[in-house]
Amino acid sequence: MSDATDTGPVLAADGRPLKRSLQRALRAEKLRALALIAPLLIFILVTFIAPIADMLFRSVENEIVSDTLPRTTLALDGWDHKSGQIPSEDVFAAFTYDLVAAAERKQHTRLGTRLNYEMTGISSLFRKTGRRVDDFGELYMDQFVDLDPAWVEPATWVTLFADPAWISSFEDWQAGDRKDATRPQPLFVASDTLGTILPETTDSYTEFARVAQTVNADSPLEETPWAPVYEALYRDLSRADSAAIAALEGPARTLLAPAQAAVAGFRTETLSDLYIDVDKDWGDPEVWATIQAFTPKYTAGYFLNAVDLQQTADGIAVQPEDQRIYFLLFKRTMFMSMMIMGSCVLLGYPIAYLLSNLSLRASNLLLILVLLPFWASLLVRTSAWKVLLQQQGVINDVLVWLGLVDDGHRLVMINNQFGTIVAMTHILLPFMILPLYSVMKTIPHTYVRAAKSLGATNWTAFWRVYFPQSVPGIGAGCILVFILSIGYYITPELVGGTTGTFISNRIAYHISSSLNWGLAAALGAILLAVVLILYWAYDRLVGIDNVSLG
Amino acid sequence: MSQMDLPPYATTGQRIWHYSFLVICGLIFFFLIAPILVIIPLSFNAENFFTFTPGMLAFDPEAYSLKHYKDFFTNPDWQQALVNSVRIAPVATIISVSLGTLAAIGLSQDHVPFRRAIMAILISPMIVPLIISAAGMYFFYSRIGLQGTYIGVVLAHAALGIPFVIITVTATLVGFDRSLTRAAANMGADPMTTFFRVQMPLILPGVISGGLFAFITSFDEVVVVLFVGSAKQQTLPWQMFTGLREQISPTILAVATILVVISIGLLTTVEVLRRRSERLRGMSPG
């Protein structure tokens, strides 16, 4: 190619440098290939990969606590759970504002259920308290109303706290057609003036007004605030700067100035006592520590639960003895998959050996016997085993007829580990035979003959010459069977009873019965990680391109 | 020439071992086939039992009946399940086959960037345990409003069938002589004509067997449909699953027998296609 340097770059027919032309052709080819692949790739990404990603996200997602209890989340920041004391009145006040809104939105039971996964009893605690929390602050409400009946009027609150711009847009809305779904109520906006002087009241009244608008489709102008707003007003007024209130104008000053003067003489109560009155568990710092531990938006809590640990305020701890089931389940899944894999090797090796040593015609015929179970519906095979293994089933009948088993002592072969292992060995055996067969087909018979002619016995020739060459097939078959079996759901569910179930049955239980989706997702993520590691090993060993189907 | 034949000089010990090996293999084949065959006579049981009655063993015609088949064809629950299965599986298969064949052709080109990564993603529905796919799809499809809909189940099943199409079609394309398409193009055929008149007929066996795999995947699938579907999408396997778990009725055996017959038909088709394809490519002596 040295003469190319003499005459400059080689040119293509159209006069461009050949190198550039070739590169362009290559790029066009790459683009065409990608254009053919793209529709399917996008399809799989949307219908399959996105769901898997969603599941992984759910296994760490924990926004429910901070979303439902935003004020409590902030207030608990300064509380030290190690102090052994329950949190301050401020935390209880913040919690009251959050809980009354959550109860109105019917979210407190969901939150209770979430926290109940971490500490048993919280669910009923939340339900019980949610029914009572809108009474908290009634003592102050009565005293404010006694002081000035205007405090019970919805209009008073709107004039005091609403942003004037909001009032005008709200009046516009009221003037129009209220039933028109395309014109939602403008959401309540608080004015800035009182926001700095009475922060808690402004905040809790805004929450109240918005809940009234969105949940009950009521107008703030027609609804008296719930009692906790009066609690906030009391707390704000007892701390507010009287000079700032005196500097206010109009109705704000005429209402707030006398109220502030009066609060000092109000009868008082402490919120923590009210809570403990509802349920003494609120006096237990552990409850608050649990809430505090789960305020972050993302948590490792589900993963910890999935391996029998739990997250407590003091860090990671082991679950109580009676709740440690997942480690056992993972161990059992592994053990049973190993048993199934082992039985598949034991049963599959002779068959694959036979098939690869018969004439092509005979082996093709026998291969049909392997492929038929492979093609038969999974449910068909599972129902067959259910029929065979039952106590009144075919196998027991035959054994009784042969006199091997007494009629009164029929064997229990179903709804236990034995049933699962037998049925799944049958179901997965073709997945062992096919890779083994395809490897054994390639082993030349001359090697064994050479070994024998050199004086090896049949056994030595097999064990030292043939077997080592078939090991890649065993490896491929084992990984395939193991991958398939650890994720099995249907067969263990139907013939496994309680002792023969897998981790996948627990995942299904959490999705459809206990509704602990986070834990289901975490268990699934762990299972997925195991499968992907094995898949990677399989890819290294066999190459995913070489997977063949029958 | 079979390697299994005994040489004439074999010792008695070798003979014993040879025949016991054949017996062992026979027993394993029995283990593979017997459970499937045993349900066929049981499905003609005149009683509601799951075992052979004395009358059946005596071949008494009275002990046999078609009543479980009659139940299958008259019971509205089973009929609805059959209709649902027939409505879901073909549509899912068409999606998998059309997208899968295109992608397999794309993947078989010489220069595909990120081929391994793309292949891994496309094969993943076959590798990921069904319960995890089902969980993920349940969560995600609920978010986007596809949970409990016909479209949701079809999309999920199409995704599960795609790896099989990719694998079979890619395998067929390995033996495809690319100079044929070049020759067609050389003689003036446009890409569409080349594809439909030259390439497609040659890879058709692979496409059809991939399609059959995708069809059987959807037709047999129960885990994903249990989660992604609602009662309105109850398929045949779903009905069998609930039947086996709750009120176990011998109608299941009749359905199972019908499904076995269908799978024998599918298996035969795939085998015939595979052999035809190997013969076309000159890879098989038989």
Side-chain angles (χ1 to χ4, degrees):
Chain A
M1 284 310 201
S2 59
D3 49 15
T5 51
D6 303 335
T7 53
V10 181
L11 298 184
D14 59 356
R16 293 165 199 268
L18 182 61
K19 210 171 164 188
R20 278 241 308 275
S21 274
L22 283 175
Q23 269 175 354
R24 262 187 41 184
L26 188 65
R27 206 164 50 232
E29 203 174 323
K30 277 185 182 176
L31 279 178
R32 201 167 52 233
L34 281 184
L36 285 168
I37 301 169
L40 181 67
L41 197 59
I42 294 167
F43 181 82
I44 287 284
L45 286 176
V46 172
T47 57
F48 189 79
I49 303 294
I52 300 290
D54 187 24
M55 186 195 76
L56 296 179
F57 174 68
R58 269 181 203 269
S59 65
V60 292
E61 188 253 17
N62 186 47
E63 287 176 349
I64 181 165
V65 180
S66 52
D67 278 358
T68 322
L69 304 175
R71 297 171 189 82
T72 319
T73 303
L74 278 177
L76 270 175
D77 231 14
W79 176 65
D80 179 16
H81 64 270
K82 291 201 188 76
S83 63
Q85 303 283 318
I86 51 170
S88 67
E89 251 333 78
D90 291 339
V91 174
F92 275 96
F95 184 66
T96 310
Y97 310 144
D98 284 334
L99 190 62
V100 71
E104 203 66 33
R105 294 196 174 102
K106 311 229 180 320
Q107 284 170 344
H108 66 299
T109 48
R110 272 181 54 213
L111 177 66
T113 313
R114 165 68 188 98
L115 290 172
N116 205 57
Y117 300 144
E118 313 298 340
M119 184 176 180
T120 318
I122 292 197
S123 178
S124 65
L125 188 61
F126 268 67
R127 246 199 326 273
K128 207 149 100 186
T129 317
R131 282 197 297 267
R132 297 273 300 275
V133 70
D134 55 348
D135 296 342
F136 292 1
E138 224 161 40
L139 180 71
Y140 300 112
M141 185 175 176
D142 293 344
Q143 296 182 76
F144 277 116
V145 176
D146 286 347
L147 190 70
D148 186 341
W151 282 114
V152 84
E153 295 301 329
T156 314
W157 289 89
V158 174
T159 14
L160 279 182
F161 291 98
D163 184 35
W166 175 80
I167 296 183
S168 59
S169 65
F170 188 73
E171 279 164 355
D172 284 350
W173 174 80
Q174 276 191 316
D177 177 14
R178 276 167 163 232
K179 295 274 180 281
D180 186 356
T182 59
R183 293 176 59 249
Q185 287 194 41
L187 268 190
F188 181 84
V189 181
S191 79
D192 295 335
T193 9
L194 281 180
T196 46
I197 306 173
L198 305 172
E200 283 187 19
T201 321
T202 313
D203 181 40
S204 63
Y205 181 73
T206 309
E207 184 79 46
F208 159 78
R210 291 187 172 178
V211 167
Q213 287 182 302
T214 53
V215 180
N216 307 327
D218 286 330
S219 149
L221 277 170
E222 291 155 16
E223 294 291 309
T224 309
W226 51 48
V229 176
Y230 293 88
E231 171 89 34
L233 184 64
Y234 169 76
R235 286 168 50 84
D236 273 340
L237 283 176
S238 23
R239 283 178 307 194
D241 179 7
S242 51
I245 290 181
L248 289 168
E249 290 166 3
R253 201 186 51 177
T254 51
L255 273 163
L256 289 172
Q260 195 194 18
V263 287
F266 274 13
R267 280 168 290 126
T268 60
E269 60 189 1
T270 42
L271 275 170
S272 49
D273 289 342
L274 289 177
Y275 276 94
I276 292 168
D277 209 32
V278 174
D279 195 311
K280 61 176 175 14
D281 278 356
W282 287 117
D284 179 7
E286 275 298 303
V287 171
W288 292 98
T290 306
I291 297 177
Q292 189 186 34
F294 286 90
T295 48
K297 281 195 185 307
Y298 299 97
T299 176
Y302 292 124
F303 276 100
L304 294 173
N305 284 350
V307 290
D308 288 340
L309 299 173
Q310 61 178 342
Q311 187 176 354
T312 61
D314 300 316
I316 295 163
V318 180
Q319 289 268 19
E321 191 99 36
D322 56 328
Q323 288 175 29
R324 278 180 229 159
I325 54 168
Y326 296 107
F327 187 65
L328 180 81
L329 261 179
F330 273 114
K331 220 169 59 188
R332 187 201 284 164
T333 306
M334 290 290 162
F335 167 76
M336 288 178 58
S337 300
M338 293 278 199
M339 291 293 288
I340 292 161
M341 187 181 88
S343 347
C344 281
V345 174
L346 280 183
L347 299 182
Y349 199 89
I351 295 293
Y353 182 81
L354 180 77
L355 287 176
S356 59
N357 282 302
L358 283 176
S359 68
L360 197 66
R361 194 164 294 278
S363 71
N364 268 338
L365 208 66
L366 283 179
L367 203 57
I368 302 273
L369 294 185
V370 178
L371 289 174
L372 180 61
F374 180 78
W375 274 92
S377 163
L378 171 68
L379 263 305
V380 170
R381 287 177 281 169
T382 309
S383 38
W385 282 107
K386 197 144 184 162
V387 168
L388 288 173
L389 296 175
Q390 283 185 85
Q391 284 205 288
Q392 300 302 322
V394 176
I395 292 182
N396 263 315
D397 279 356
V398 171
L399 291 177
V400 169
W401 180 69
L402 288 174
L404 291 175
V405 171
D406 180 39
D407 200 14
H409 300 88
R410 284 169 175 257
L411 301 178
V412 182
M413 294 182 291
I414 202 164
N415 295 334
N416 54 21
Q417 297 200 355
F418 179 80
T420 310
I421 291 175
V422 170
M424 284 185 57
T425 302
H426 177 250
I427 289 167
L428 297 177
L429 191 49
F431 291 96
M432 178 64 83
I433 294 177
L434 294 176
L436 262 178
Y437 172 56
S438 67
V439 167
M440 285 182 177
K441 257 198 313 199
T442 62
I443 302 177
H445 304 295
T446 43
Y447 290 3
V448 174
R449 266 188 250 143
K452 281 187 193 164
S453 75
L454 290 171
T457 60
N458 277 349
W459 169 250
T460 316
F462 168 77
W463 184 245
R464 301 281 301 279
V465 176
Y466 191 87
F467 183 77
Q469 297 182 78
S470 67
V471 166
I474 299 181
C478 281
I479 296 180
L480 195 59
V481 168
F482 195 80
I483 287 181
L484 289 170
S485 71
I486 58 171
Y488 241 64
Y489 166 67
I490 294 295
T491 310
E493 180 78 17
L494 289 174
V495 299
T498 49
T499 57
T501 50
F502 281 19
I503 196 74
S504 45
N505 301 88
R506 198 70 192 169
I507 296 177
Y509 164 77
H510 280 308
I511 296 174
S512 49
S513 304
S514 84
L515 303 182
N516 189 350
W517 289 5
L519 183 54
L523 290 170
I526 295 175
L527 186 59
L528 182 64
V530 174
V531 168
L532 287 183
I533 292 171
L534 289 169
Y535 174 55
W536 175 79
Y538 184 86
D539 192 27
R540 293 294 301 267
L541 197 68
V542 196
I544 192 64
D545 295 356
N546 297 337
V547 181
S548 75
L549 299 164
Chain B
M1 180 60 200
S2 165
Q3 302 296 312
M4 287 308 292
D5 295 341
L6 266 182
Y9 49 80
T11 62
T12 322
Q14 281 171 348
R15 272 169 207 282
I16 293 174
W17 167 241
H18 176 79
Y19 288 112
S20 32
F21 177 74
L22 289 185
V23 170
I24 292 171
C25 286
L27 287 176
I28 300 171
F29 275 119
F30 180 76
F31 170 76
L32 268 171
I33 290 297
I36 296 171
L37 295 187
V38 92
I39 54 175
I40 296 177
L42 281 179
S43 69
F44 295 100
N45 198 335
E47 307 286 335
N48 284 338
F49 291 147
F50 278 95
T51 187
F52 291 98
T53 55
M56 291 179 86
L57 294 175
F59 293 105
D60 178 4
E62 293 284 299
Y64 292 86
S65 89
L66 288 172
K67 71 175 202 180
H68 303 311
Y69 290 87
K70 213 161 116 195
D71 183 42
F72 171 65
F73 284 108
T74 52
N75 185 325
D77 284 351
W78 283 106
Q79 284 307 297
Q80 186 56 46
L82 179 65
V83 168
N84 282 336
S85 279
V86 170
R87 277 182 64 213
I88 291 167
V91 182
T93 307
I94 290 171
I95 299 178
S96 321
V97 169
S98 48
L99 293 179
T101 307
L102 279 186
I105 292 172
L107 278 168
S108 70
Q109 313 271 318
D110 288 330
H111 307 282
V112 184
F114 315 112
R115 176 191 263 131
R116 277 183 79 83
I118 292 175
M119 198 69 178
I121 291 175
L122 298 185
I123 301 292
S124 61
M126 193 173 81
I127 305 298
V128 173
L130 279 174
I131 187 71
I132 294 178
S133 315
M137 285 170 171
Y138 178 68
F139 295 146
F140 186 70
Y141 287 10
S142 320
R143 261 189 226 273
I144 60 176
L146 283 177
Q147 201 275 326
T149 64
Y150 169 73
I151 296 178
V153 177
V154 167
L155 291 182
H157 277 181
L160 294 180
I162 275 165
F164 298 100
V165 179
I166 294 280
I167 288 173
T168 50
V169 179
T170 317
T172 326
L173 282 167
V174 167
F176 181 74
D177 188 352
R178 294 276 296 283
S179 54
L180 293 173
T181 50
R182 285 197 209 111
N186 214 0
M187 290 190 267
D190 61 72
M192 289 303 262
T193 318
T194 316
F195 176 74
F196 281 108
R197 299 285 297 278
V198 179
Q199 194 166 16
M200 197 62 191
L202 283 167
I203 63 168
L204 197 61
V207 175
I208 293 179
S209 52
L212 290 177
F213 270 105
F215 180 83
I216 204 78
T217 306
S218 166
F219 199 73
D220 267 0
E221 207 289 323
V222 54
V223 187
V224 168
V225 78
L226 268 176
F227 287 94
V228 175
S230 67
K232 273 193 205 146
Q233 285 87 41
Q234 193 149 345
T235 57
L236 221 42
W238 181 344
Q239 181 76 19
M240 286 179 81
F241 176 72
T242 40
L244 281 172
R245 203 164 54 169
E246 285 142 26
Q247 23 51 262
I248 179 154
S249 109
T251 310
I252 290 170
L253 297 185
V255 183
T257 306
I258 296 174
L259 289 182
V260 168
V261 173
I262 294 178
S263 20
I264 290 176
L266 287 178
L267 168 64
T268 319
T269 322
V270 170
E271 276 300 293
V272 168
L273 285 171
R274 191 174 62 89
R275 281 175 201 182
R276 189 186 110 93
S277 154
E278 279 180 4
R279 213 170 40 241
L280 278 179
R281 282 148 47 187
M283 285 168 66
S284 162

